[in-house]
Amino acid sequence: MSTDRRTPTDQPLIAPLFHRLVDDAAVFPPGNAALPDAVTAHREHRTAWYADLVGPLLVPASSVDALTALLDPAERLGIGIIGDLPIDRLGVPDDPRVTVRQIEAAAAKRGEDPQPGIARLLALADRLPDVDVYAELPLTFGLLAGLDTVASARANGARVAVKFRTGGLAAELFPTPVELAAVICACRERDLPFKLTAGLHHAIRHADPETGFTHHGFLNVLVGAALAADGGEVADVAEVLAATDAVPLIEPARARRDHPRGLWVGFGSCSMIEPLTDLIRLGLINGGYEG
């Protein structure tokens, strides 16, 4: 069987707009996959026709040693480390089979000053100059000053960016469209890439029938971030983020699919198949053949 992952017209199976859009967060809630199962599934994702959609396997810092014990001798695996340990204890394993592409850690809890945590993360970035470091900032006290600090370090050459939470177990963890739009535009103004985590289960904004929480859609964010990058105002970006109809989002996404995302790095999902299925249903990926 041929392993050629191109269409007869040499179009990419996954357009550049969607490259590495979804990090594999299988071991995190609500999926909570066992680490061996997550590694096995990630191997399958990395060899599937949709492999270009898939970012690194995300692993808690406390589980990195357990991960390396699961790898084959000749295996090579790109991972992202999520900081469930103190920032000062974060690092990369001394194992040639593992490439740490990013480290993500919370700079502060809600209501805390993020600056001390940002300082520790900047020290980490200085210690690991080949790794992207993401400072997760709460959308509360000290946010804009925190963005300024990270942006200044990035402008001076540090491989740092920011990350925001867009969901969780409480309503206040879901930012409104206006709040998220304001943050996206603030990142745009500082030339600061961002990641998102939690709540982005589907492409289009929707209400979860079990919790009643309204979740942001990743296609909304993709189109909204592109609009922001092009100079869109907060109100215009918020309107895109608030849309619950896919129709006005599909064509803007399709028009940009040959271009990289730029401002928005991507998001983690405990399921790789759900985002893929949504993109296929919306006609943005054609089940293995695009173009």
Side-chain angles (χ1 to χ4, degrees):
M1 179 181 295
S2 171
T3 58
D4 186 1
R5 295 174 55 240
R6 296 282 182 176
T7 68
T9 57
D10 202 37
Q11 292 292 319
L13 297 176
I14 302 295
L17 181 64
F18 306 115
H19 279 190
R20 293 190 176 183
L21 175 64
V22 189
D23 289 348
D24 187 351
V27 302
F28 293 92
N32 298 310
L35 186 58
D37 295 337
V39 171
T40 298
H42 189 74
R43 290 181 181 128
E44 295 174 354
H45 297 320
R46 295 303 311 167
T47 57
W49 64 266
Y50 55 85
D52 286 340
L53 178 70
V54 183
L57 178 66
L58 301 183
V59 183
S62 59
S63 298
V64 171
D65 288 344
L67 170 72
T68 59
L70 297 170
L71 301 182
D72 297 331
E75 188 164 3
R76 296 294 183 268
L77 183 66
I79 68 169
I81 294 178
I82 306 300
D84 64 338
L85 299 174
I87 294 172
D88 296 341
R89 293 176 56 190
L90 299 178
V92 301
D94 184 17
D95 191 321
R97 298 172 298 172
V98 175
T99 299
V100 178
R101 303 193 184 281
Q102 63 215 43
I103 296 178
E104 308 171 18
K109 298 178 181 178
R110 288 175 64 86
E112 293 180 345
D113 181 1
Q115 294 292 344
I118 291 173
R120 289 191 288 272
L121 286 167
L122 294 181
L124 176 68
D126 186 58
R127 179 161 54 89
L128 301 172
D130 296 327
V131 177
D132 292 322
V133 173
Y134 291 90
E136 182 181 322
L137 303 180
L139 303 183
T140 54
F141 171 76
L143 173 61
L144 294 181
L147 294 179
D148 288 337
T149 301
V150 178
S152 176
R154 183 176 180 86
N156 288 323
R159 290 181 60 171
V160 292
V162 290
K163 173 182 172 183
F164 307 111
R165 193 161 292 273
T166 52
L169 299 178
E172 62 266 22
L173 298 178
F174 291 78
T176 67
V178 172
E179 289 170 337
L180 184 56
V183 170
I184 291 173
C185 290
C187 289
R188 182 270 317 280
E189 292 166 358
R190 294 162 174 79
D191 195 21
L192 187 58
F194 68 93
K195 288 193 68 182
L196 298 177
T197 186
L200 293 171
H201 298 162
H202 291 288
I204 307 301
R205 182 172 175 83
H206 65 283
D208 187 312
E210 293 185 5
T211 66
F213 298 148
T214 299
H215 290 247
H216 289 283
F218 67 80
L219 185 62
N220 299 74
V221 175
L222 192 152
V223 175
L227 177 60
D230 288 342
E233 300 292 338
V234 169
D236 299 322
V237 175
E239 183 177 358
V240 171
L241 296 179
T244 55
D245 182 358
V247 173
L249 302 176
I250 292 173
E251 285 309 313
R254 191 183 301 279
R256 301 185 67 98
R257 63 181 181 171
D258 292 330
H259 304 280
R261 288 183 301 284
L263 184 62
W264 185 33
V265 178
F267 67 103
S269 173
C270 62
S271 168
M272 295 302 307
I273 301 304
E274 287 182 356
L276 175 66
T277 300
D278 277 7
L279 289 171
I280 292 172
R281 287 174 176 169
L282 294 171
L284 294 170
I285 294 176
N286 192 23
Y289 293 93
E290 182 181 290

